[in-house]
């Protein structure tokens, strides 16, 4: 059962629907690989997954985690070490992305001084939104429990609120009765 008070788990409800037909899926912040593993386990034959992270440790951990999952599957995966805004623009050749996910902040268990920034995430979104398929979705999990996470959330929310409603559906999900500013989820869908 999915815990509806957990942003990371709650987004699986959206992912599961998209993954049934997805051809191109991008994890823009693959971290330790847990989200990418979930996507790989739910991908249909022929799906191409991308795992992007700026840290080589994150890429190595994700590759190791997925090594056994990919063994018997008819899916392909490309790992890209680099900043997500550049990788999406320069290294993803497909013009139609079905699902793009971001799990913002820092690498759990890694160097906490290496964090995502609102400016680079907005640039990644500006590069990705034109590539979204007709039914494509972007999910972003933000972490407002730290000062940098709260600043990133506020900046990102300002950008998302300004997207043209005639072209995009933008939603915000957050738990209402949880302490300590738990993670929140933003979703973008092409109309």
């Amino acid at each position: 059962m999915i815990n509806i008070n957990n942003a990371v788990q709650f987004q699986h409800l959206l992912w599961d629907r998209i993954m049934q037909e997805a051809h191109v899926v991008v994890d823009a912040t693959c971290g330790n690989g847990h989200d990418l593993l979930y996507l790989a386990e739910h991908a249909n034959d022929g799906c191409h997954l991308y795992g992007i992270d700026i840290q080589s440790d994150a890429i190595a951990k994700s590759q190791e985690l997925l090594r056994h999952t990919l063994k018997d599957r008819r899916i392909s995966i490309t790992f890209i070490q680099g900043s997500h805004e550049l990788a999406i623009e320069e290294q993803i050749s497909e013009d139609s992305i079905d699902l793009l996910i971001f799990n913002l902040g820092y690498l759990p268990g890694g160097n906490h001084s290496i964090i995502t920034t609102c400016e680079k995430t907005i640039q990644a979104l500006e590069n990705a939104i034109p590539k979204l398929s007709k039914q494509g979705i972007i999910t972003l999990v933000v972490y407002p429990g730290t000062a940098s996470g709260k600043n990133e959330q506020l900046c990102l929310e300002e950008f998302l609120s300004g997207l043209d409603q005639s072209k995009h559906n933008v939603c915000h999900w957050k738990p209402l009765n949880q302490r300590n500013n738990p993670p929140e989820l933003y979703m973008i869908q092409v109309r």
Side-chain angles (χ1 to χ4, degrees):
M1 165 157 293
I2 291 176
N3 179 353
I4 65 166
N5 274 338
N6 181 306
V8 174
Q9 288 182 22
F10 182 76
Q11 68 186 341
H12 292 178
L13 295 171
L14 297 170
W15 295 358
D16 289 349
R17 184 182 61 80
I18 295 291
M19 292 306 292
Q20 294 174 16
E21 302 290 328
H23 299 290
V24 178
V25 176
V26 179
D27 184 343
T29 52
C30 68
N32 288 317
H34 299 290
D35 289 339
L36 199 53
L37 176 62
Y38 184 92
L39 295 169
E41 289 173 339
H42 291 81
N44 60 60
D45 287 350
C47 186
H48 188 152
L49 300 171
Y50 286 91
I52 303 168
D53 206 286
I54 199 160
Q55 297 184 66
S56 60
D57 287 351
I59 296 293
K61 287 177 182 177
S62 295
Q63 287 173 326
E64 182 59 31
L65 186 63
L66 271 77
R67 186 176 324 277
H68 300 293
T69 301
L70 297 177
K71 202 176 210 180
D72 300 322
R73 302 291 314 273
R74 290 187 205 177
I75 58 175
S76 58
I77 186 161
T78 302
F79 287 98
I80 302 170
Q81 183 185 346
S83 189
H84 50 238
E85 80 282 4
L86 297 175
I88 290 168
E89 180 181 30
E90 299 170 1
Q91 295 180 274
I92 296 178
S93 59
E94 291 91 347
D95 291 330
S96 185
I97 298 171
D98 298 303
L99 176 62
L100 173 63
I101 70 166
F102 293 83
N103 196 339
L104 302 176
Y106 54 80
L107 175 66
N111 182 345
H112 290 197
S113 68
I114 302 173
I115 59 173
T116 57
T117 65
C118 184
E119 296 76 23
K120 288 185 177 187
T121 301
I122 287 173
Q123 185 61 54
L125 290 170
E126 288 174 338
N127 294 338
I129 289 172
K131 293 184 174 190
L132 272 183
S133 67
K134 185 165 175 64
Q135 300 301 317
I137 289 182
I138 298 173
T139 63
L140 302 106
V141 175
V142 299
Y143 294 84
T146 64
S148 62
K150 185 63 176 176
N151 288 337
E152 184 174 34
Q153 178 194 25
L154 293 173
C155 174
L156 187 60
E157 190 164 306
E158 182 178 342
F159 169 78
L160 295 174
S161 296
L163 289 176
D164 184 345
Q165 74 175 20
S166 68
K167 297 178 182 176
H168 309 97
N169 293 322
V170 180
C171 296
H172 176 202
W173 171 96
K174 71 177 190 173
L176 296 176
N177 66 341
Q178 303 297 303
R179 295 183 190 140
N180 302 320
N181 299 311
E184 298 180 22
L185 174 65
Y186 291 86
M187 299 149 281
I188 305 166
Q189 180 184 45
V190 175
R191 293 185 80 166

